[in-house]
Amino acid sequence: MIEPTVTMPPKRVRRAPVRRPEPPRETVRFPVLAVVFVCAACGLVYELELVALASYLIGDSVTQASVVLSVMVFAMGVGSLLAKALRFRAAVGFGLVEAGLALVGGTSAMVLYAAFAWFGESRYVLVAFSLAIGVLIGAEIPLLMSLIQRGDRSGRSGRKASLGEQDDAAGTVADLFAADYVGALVGGLAFPFLLLPWLGQLTGALVTGAVNAVAGGGLVLWVFRRDLTTRSRALLVAVNVSVLAVLATATVLVDDFEQAARRAVYGERVRVAVHTELQEIIVTGGREGPPDLFLDGRLRVAGQDEYRYHEALVHPAMNGAHDRVLIVGGGDGMAAREALRYPGVRSVTVVELDPGVVLLARTDPALARLNGQAFRDPRVRVVYADAFRWLRGGATDRLQERYDVVISDLPDPGITPSAKLYAQEFYGLVAQVLTPSGRFAVHAGSVTDRPRTYWTVDATLRAAGFATRPYSASGRTPGFAAGPDRADGSGGTGRGPGDWGFLLAVPGSRPPALGLAPDAPRLRSLGEHTLEAAAHRAERGRGDAEPPPSTLVHPRYGG
């Protein structure tokens, strides 16, 4: 019997999946480190942008820097933890993180400025952007670690890493952080020396965002394109194109936006807007009425009643010898105008930090008319310098160049950049260039709204060897959307303090008499009885406990 032959089907051989070749290890490492460098530079620009704009809009740069940096560092830790959820899809995750960071960081300055201009409050927006940018920055390094070690992990799959491989991983971490720190250095230097002077705050942030998007998206879509599915690749392309389109559109419209925001802040009468190397200068009005001068958003000259401020600041100090007058600040020329009204004045030296203020005060018809063409007077000499450095650097050489009157015409002491000019050390330098019978007038902020700051200035003057006479003047014009001074605590709501506080100081222990010189010109707001009432009004605000003096190493002026 012949048994039937059973033919078995051929046995199928399971083939191993074909792996796409991995890019060489060094081919991956170099572009990743380059992108780390670029992204770190962009991240630090975002941080500095927030600090700079917050200091301008809110005031007190120390507080704003502390808020931004502390919130951002905390958020970076949160971002590192959240990045764990994306480590298995590190390529697409990093691409989305960089696109989000480019959009949020690039538009942060415009949104922050818009919140201030149209809603009058930007603190919460500042914190929100600090959190968002910090979370996105914190997610970068963990995802990049996953990308740069991907080839290594596939090479040692199924076996324990050798000691050499562990050392190589440590070297990878060191390379990433080195690139990150060097990039941060470049970004930190580029912000004040390149971006701000060439592009300004708003355009600089937008351009930084575009660079961020191109670097992050380019790395993922080119170097790690094998890790992306077709859907992921299409998603990243669409997201990055959309982000770049938003940033490009905002860059084109930034000038129109800035003009609209400026009108929202300063009203419709904006006539001059100048960005110097140090600050933004705005002049409103001046065609039909007196002009108003804003420096970095703070009202420095209210044309309607500036005479009240400058008469109270200058004329009590002129009650005595006044041949030689030194004005610290006062680049608008108003204090010089008042000093030049005395025929006995032989010279007025104005020490101003920003040449742009003096140039505008010289050339703008409305401002020049308001200051009485003070800078055309041959008795006026302008020195462009930091007053502290100028006095310190030349005090020994100027012992023969003493001044009969020194006038400190500066922003409120709560504005951090001017705080050192309200320190005991600065007043000690003033004492060296003041004649033994000289008089020193200081603008010290509001007596009623910020009494502790005012009396701290008083205590600081006395600690420097001066005897003081407090007094104040009323009449500050409210109603400006930008706020007469950020230091007034109004947060840009448009209501400034109702008075200016001054201190008249002389060397020694005997307080000076508060009066007017026999040759004083006719004044619109001051008289003997007015000054007596001003002194009583200021003294009523003196507390029982005397605040400590403010020094360079321990500033006492809060926000």
Side-chain angles (χ1 to χ4, degrees):
M1 182 178 180
I2 300 175
E3 296 182 359
T5 303
V6 178
T7 304
M8 300 293 294
K11 186 176 181 180
R12 293 185 179 179
V13 180
R14 183 181 297 274
R15 294 184 179 180
V18 179
R19 290 185 57 84
R20 293 176 178 173
E22 299 289 343
R25 185 167 170 271
E26 291 304 323
T27 304
V28 172
R29 180 182 294 258
F30 177 77
V32 167
L33 294 179
V35 169
V36 170
F37 172 87
V38 173
C39 292
C42 294
L44 197 66
V45 169
Y46 300 144
E47 294 181 29
L48 296 176
E49 188 74 46
L50 288 178
V51 171
L53 195 56
S55 301
Y56 162 53
L57 298 179
I58 304 173
D60 190 358
S61 58
V62 172
T63 300
Q64 308 316 320
S66 300
V67 169
V68 170
L69 296 180
S70 58
V71 170
M72 194 167 287
V73 170
F74 162 76
M76 288 169 64
V78 175
S80 297
L81 293 176
L82 295 177
K84 291 181 178 181
L86 299 174
R87 66 184 183 273
F88 297 113
R89 302 188 65 186
V92 67
F94 181 76
L96 293 175
V97 163
E98 290 307 306
L101 183 58
L103 180 63
V104 174
T107 60
S108 59
M110 289 188 71
V111 176
L112 192 63
Y113 194 25
F116 169 79
W118 281 283
F119 300 103
E121 178 58 65
S122 52
R123 288 181 177 87
Y124 300 113
V125 179
L126 173 69
V127 173
F129 271 106
S130 301
L131 279 170
I133 293 174
V135 167
L136 294 170
I137 291 176
E140 288 178 327
I141 294 297
L143 294 175
L144 283 169
M145 279 294 299
S146 299
L147 290 174
I148 204 171
Q149 291 187 312
R150 176 178 53 79
D152 295 341
R153 287 197 302 270
S154 62
R156 61 172 181 259
S157 177
R159 61 182 177 84
K160 186 176 180 179
S162 66
L163 182 61
E165 290 169 338
Q166 293 174 6
D167 291 341
D168 188 66
T172 299
V173 174
D175 290 343
L176 283 174
F177 279 105
D180 185 75
Y181 295 149
V182 174
L185 170 66
V186 172
L189 295 177
F191 177 73
F193 296 113
L194 296 177
L195 293 178
L196 274 185
W198 289 3
L199 300 176
Q201 289 182 321
L202 302 185
T203 305
L206 293 168
V207 170
T208 302
V211 171
N212 199 159
V214 170
L219 177 71
V220 175
L221 292 171
W222 179 252
V223 178
F224 296 102
R225 60 188 180 277
R226 295 179 179 86
D227 290 0
L228 300 174
T229 65
T230 303
R231 178 178 297 180
S232 298
R233 190 180 299 111
L235 173 65
L236 287 179
V237 170
V239 168
N240 278 277
V241 168
S242 299
V243 169
L244 290 174
V246 170
L247 296 176
T249 303
T251 303
V252 172
L253 299 177
V254 70
D255 290 337
D256 294 336
F257 167 83
E258 191 171 0
Q259 292 177 11
R262 189 178 292 130
R263 286 193 297 269
V265 173
Y266 300 103
E268 297 293 333
R269 301 188 305 146
V270 175
R271 190 166 50 80
V272 178
V274 178
H275 286 274
T276 71
E277 294 183 358
L278 299 173
Q279 59 194 339
E280 180 188 57
I281 306 175
I282 301 292
V283 178
T284 65
R287 289 192 176 92
E288 299 178 357
D292 299 320
L293 174 66
F294 294 83
L295 302 180
D296 266 354
R298 300 172 181 91
L299 180 63
R300 291 297 298 132
V301 174
Q304 182 178 347
D305 65 353
E306 57 79 23
Y307 68 92
R308 297 178 181 271
Y309 168 88
H310 290 102
E311 287 184 356
L313 172 65
V314 174
H315 292 282
M318 305 296 282
N319 185 17
H322 46 249
D323 289 0
R324 300 174 60 83
V325 179
L326 172 64
I327 300 175
V328 178
D332 51 64
M334 309 300 169
R337 175 199 65 198
E338 295 300 321
L340 292 170
R341 296 175 70 183
Y342 290 81
V345 171
R346 292 192 293 115
S347 70
V348 175
T349 301
V350 178
V351 182
E352 170 61 46
L353 183 60
D354 190 355
V357 177
V358 177
L359 177 63
L360 195 61
R362 288 178 186 270
T363 59
D364 182 78
L367 285 177
R369 185 168 57 251
L370 193 62
N371 64 36
Q373 305 284 354
F375 291 114
R376 293 188 179 183
D377 194 299
R379 293 174 291 174
V380 175
R381 178 171 70 105
V382 181
V383 177
Y384 300 114
D386 177 272
F388 194 102
R389 293 181 180 178
W390 185 74
L391 286 176
R392 184 183 182 186
T396 55
D397 299 333
R398 295 194 194 94
L399 291 180
Q400 304 301 321
E401 189 181 354
R402 298 283 186 106
Y403 295 93
D404 301 300
V405 176
V406 177
I407 296 169
S408 178
D409 184 14
L410 297 168
D412 285 3
I415 310 278
T416 305
S418 65
K420 69 178 181 180
L421 302 183
Y422 287 89
Q424 182 178 337
E425 292 86 346
F426 178 73
Y427 293 149
L429 294 175
V430 172
Q432 295 181 39
V433 298
L434 198 63
T435 61
S437 60
R439 299 161 78 84
F440 181 25
V442 178
H443 165 232
S446 172
V447 182
T448 56
D449 287 36
R450 306 183 72 225
R452 181 169 182 82
T453 296
Y454 177 84
W455 293 110
T456 297
V457 179
D458 178 71
T460 305
L461 280 165
R462 287 187 282 111
F466 289 96
T468 61
R469 177 73 70 184
Y471 66 104
S472 67
S474 59
R476 175 161 293 189
T477 305
F480 292 96
D485 270 319
R486 278 301 167 264
D488 64 14
S490 65
T493 58
R495 295 203 59 83
D499 71 297
W500 299 284
F502 305 99
L503 290 158
L504 183 63
V506 295
S509 57
R510 185 176 179 180
L514 192 62
L516 298 176
D519 60 341
R522 184 176 180 180
L523 306 177
R524 290 190 284 173
S525 64
L526 283 187
E528 295 293 342
H529 297 295
T530 307
L531 284 173
E532 183 178 350
H536 287 305
R537 185 167 55 247
E539 285 289 354
R540 285 199 299 267
R542 189 190 293 270
D544 296 332
E546 178 180 322
S550 181
T551 64
L552 290 178
V553 296
H554 198 162
R556 305 282 183 174
Y557 304 111

